[in-house]
Amino acid sequence: MTISLAVPDILVARAKSGDLEALEALYRAFETPVYNVALRMLRSPEDAEDVMQETFLEVVRSIKQYRAEGHLWGWIRQIAASKALMRIRRNQLRATEELHEEAAAGPGGVGVPARVDLERAFERLSETSRAVVWLHDVEGYTHEEIAERMGKTVSFSKSQLARAHARLRGMLDDEGAAP
Amino acid sequence: MMHCTMDDLLALQAGEASGWARSHADACATCRGELDALYQRIAQLKALPTRRPSRDRWPAVREAVVAERRRRPNGRNTSSPATAAAVAGLLVFRPFGTRQADAAELARVKQESATLEQQLGRVDPDARVMSGRAAALAAALEDRIAVIDGELARLGPLEAPPGPEELVKLWQQRVDLMQQLVGVHVTRAAYVGL
């Protein structure tokens, strides 16, 4: 992602004082990266937009507690990841996630193209797998951090990552083998 | 011939592989190819195109913020007049040189927080079915508590700067949120007659 994520200190100070214009400027600066983190972790763009909205509500409520010690994007990203993981937990309550994945990844599934690129293969993983892969491989979270945020064990995070990569490799191999 | 598993390949990528996996990958062209493919997949994931949201959600965020400010014109997040008065007293009327008093107050709010945690444990929120609205409210409160916990972890022990008054303030905020969270669960428990 080539978007600049640096914001002036004065803008942060104004946002911390509750200035709505400054808060909107922060929203404009970070809406796309927040949306992309959420979109890669979740299955639907609608969910990703909801998470983006929840994230910024939390940012507005909590920005007074931001100490400007790390990068603001790191702080906002943590909130976004936490919100996305919460959404995944809620979605799992509907108990269809794994079935969805299996159905989508099965050979000759309805509406599933024979050829997929990496982005489409990634989209066919379960939300849990996507979250682990994205947080670990792209955002640079450790397995310990992922496990803590998901309320799972480090082994769970590692096995999800291995399983997800095995599936990605399989789907991309299928692509290569397709006529 | 036994090849590296995906666990082995990921461990190699992370620099945490076993001696066997390292020496095997050095000698095996197939596994080196798999490892290269893994690196490429990760690089491609990092390079996926940026997507943009289809709708502008700022008006909804702004509306929610303005509505919250209208409900709490003083901007404090308090759950009862007594707590509000206690916080106001702490923040406004605290005289100089009251480090000891702060320490006592800190111990008190920490104890209050622990009591609320125990109360929440007795309610056993995970074992109950909640309405979507109550679950969303509980989730939002838990998130805010998590933010405060992160801040408390960063500030560290009582002796660390910026001093106990800041910790008291954070712990008090935590207590306020915990009270609201317990309220959400207890109300639900009472409603369903449990």
Side-chain angles (χ1 to χ4, degrees):
Chain A
M1 206 176 295
T2 54
I3 296 167
S4 169
L5 297 174
V7 292
D9 289 346
I10 184 68
L11 183 65
V12 177
R14 281 176 53 205
K16 288 176 92 164
S17 74
D19 182 328
L20 278 172
E21 279 185 15
L23 289 165
E24 181 177 359
L26 289 187
Y27 175 90
R28 300 293 170 208
F30 292 107
E31 67 172 325
T32 298
V34 165
Y35 176 71
N36 276 268
V37 168
L39 183 66
R40 296 307 179 191
M41 292 171 67
L42 295 160
R43 194 175 287 284
S44 87
E46 182 73 19
D47 275 354
E49 286 189 9
D50 286 349
V51 163
M52 182 180 75
Q53 183 173 326
E54 290 168 11
T55 297
F56 281 102
L57 258 176
E58 190 59 49
V59 166
V60 172
R61 287 169 178 154
S62 305
I63 193 153
K64 284 183 183 171
Q65 291 164 37
Y66 170 65
R67 300 287 164 189
E69 286 173 352
H71 198 293
L72 181 60
W73 166 235
W75 183 73
I76 293 175
R77 186 181 60 177
Q78 286 211 7
I79 295 174
S82 164
K83 295 285 181 188
L85 290 173
M86 191 179 303
R87 178 63 62 125
I88 289 171
R89 280 197 289 275
R90 278 183 224 155
N91 289 348
Q92 280 174 336
L93 292 177
R94 294 171 196 154
T96 57
E97 184 187 32
E98 295 305 320
L99 288 172
H100 191 161
E101 177 183 344
E102 294 305 319
V110 176
V112 178
R115 288 178 177 275
V116 289
D117 61 13
L118 178 65
E119 186 172 20
R120 297 182 74 173
F122 183 71
E123 285 169 358
R124 287 161 61 183
L125 296 175
S126 71
E127 287 186 330
T128 301
S129 297
R130 291 164 62 134
V132 172
V133 171
W134 194 260
L135 290 176
H136 185 272
D137 290 350
V138 180
E139 304 294 342
Y141 282 56
T142 64
H143 284 297
E144 286 76 11
E145 289 169 330
I146 294 168
E148 186 182 75
R149 280 161 180 76
M150 295 184 99
K152 305 279 189 183
T153 62
V154 170
S155 305
F156 173 86
S157 177
K158 286 184 175 178
S159 67
Q160 281 289 323
L161 186 68
R163 182 169 173 250
H165 271 290
R167 292 199 74 98
L168 287 173
R169 184 183 58 180
M171 285 190 268
L172 296 169
D173 281 353
D174 288 347
E175 175 196 8
Chain B
M1 181 182 183
M2 197 169 100
H3 290 293
C4 288
T5 63
M6 187 56 76
D7 286 317
D8 292 326
L9 295 171
L10 285 164
L12 283 164
Q13 186 253 342
E16 298 167 351
S18 64
W20 175 85
R22 282 199 305 272
S23 56
H24 175 80
D26 282 343
C28 174
T30 304
C31 289
R32 275 204 311 278
E34 289 289 349
L35 187 59
D36 285 346
L38 175 64
Y39 277 112
Q40 282 174 25
R41 271 199 305 277
I42 293 172
Q44 286 169 357
L45 281 172
K46 288 178 178 172
L48 284 181
T50 299
R51 306 289 183 205
R52 296 190 187 279
S54 61
R55 281 176 295 171
D56 181 5
R57 294 292 187 108
W58 172 250
V61 174
R62 188 182 196 284
E63 191 180 328
V65 171
V66 170
E68 281 183 9
R69 287 182 183 177
R70 232 179 264 132
R71 283 198 299 273
R72 290 198 304 269
N74 58 1
R76 279 200 312 272
N77 182 25
T78 53
S79 57
S80 73
T83 315
V87 174
L90 260 175
L91 300 181
V92 179
F93 300 112
R94 187 177 59 78
F96 292 111
T98 55
R99 190 177 176 85
Q100 201 172 355
D102 279 334
E105 183 60 19
L106 181 60
R108 188 191 69 74
V109 287
K110 279 172 133 176
Q111 181 56 48
E112 196 175 350
S113 178
T115 304
L116 287 163
E117 292 277 10
Q118 286 169 4
Q119 197 176 342
L120 195 60
R122 283 197 295 274
V123 172
D124 191 9
D126 292 339
R128 296 185 193 285
V129 177
M130 304 176 81
S131 71
R133 193 172 175 178
L137 178 57
L141 288 166
E142 284 168 2
D143 265 12
R144 297 178 67 185
I145 290 168
V147 169
I148 290 178
D149 285 347
E151 189 62 17
L152 285 168
R154 192 190 64 77
L155 285 175
L158 175 63
E159 291 75 18
E165 69 276 11
E166 179 108 8
L167 289 172
V168 168
K169 200 164 128 186
L170 282 170
W171 275 101
Q172 187 63 62
Q173 286 174 0
R174 190 182 198 282
V175 163
D176 290 341
L177 291 168
M178 283 293 297
Q179 283 173 336
Q180 292 176 51
L181 186 60
V182 169
V184 169
H185 289 297
V186 168
T187 302
R188 172 64 188 160
Y191 176 69
V192 297
L194 296 170

